[in-house]
Amino acid sequence: MFNPWLETTRQGINIYLTLLSGRAACTDGQRIWLDARLTRIEATCSLTHELLHIHAGHACTQNSAVEAKIREGVARALIPLPAILERAQSQEHPATIAEDFNVTLAVLADRMTTLTRHERAQLRAATLPHVTA
């Protein structure tokens, strides 16, 4: 599983905790600022988001299409398909599943709405009752 905290350490990216107004995190392309009021899970998701901006060479606010791609990348990095397939038949509330994946509900929703056709087929197969002869 992707760990943005280890990744930023490995890459020597400095993280600053501060009070941000109107946003959870931001980057200048080299450093990352996280709002100090974020929960551990929110901070992990926000850190991943900003780290992907850095990897993409972004140093300022991006348009909505770019942000959507970054959100998809965050969801894919933090929720691999095997984890989704493992929970395919779960009747648990999405908030419980998100917590178990250590992501926000928004990241879980992003992952589920950006499943590829192939991933959707795998998920359908995983949720069908298995018939034994």
Side-chain angles (χ1 to χ4, degrees), residues 88-102:
Q89 295 191 21
S90 173
Q91 298 297 314
E92 295 172 286
H93 191 278
T96 301
I97 295 171
E99 186 176 325
D100 288 349
F101 287 159
N102 290 310

Side-chain angles (χ1 to χ4, degrees), residues 71-115:
R71 283 195 324 273
E72 179 179 352
V74 169
R76 289 184 175 284
L78 295 177
I79 310 172
L81 184 61
I84 295 170
L85 296 175
E86 202 172 280
R87 300 295 284 270
Q89 295 191 21
S90 173
Q91 298 297 314
E92 295 172 286
H93 191 278
T96 301
I97 295 171
E99 186 176 325
D100 288 349
F101 287 159
N102 290 310
V103 299
T104 63
L105 265 172
V107 170
L108 178 60
D110 286 341
R111 184 63 173 107
M112 298 311 292
T113 59
T114 60
L115 290 169

Side-chain angles (χ1 to χ4, degrees), residues 23 26-31 33 50 53-54 56-62:
R23 57 178 35 180
C26 60
T27 184
D28 65 359
Q30 298 176 355
R31 299 168 290 185
W33 288 266
E50 299 307 325
H53 275 302
I54 290 173
H58 304 154
C60 60
T61 303
Q62 300 297 308

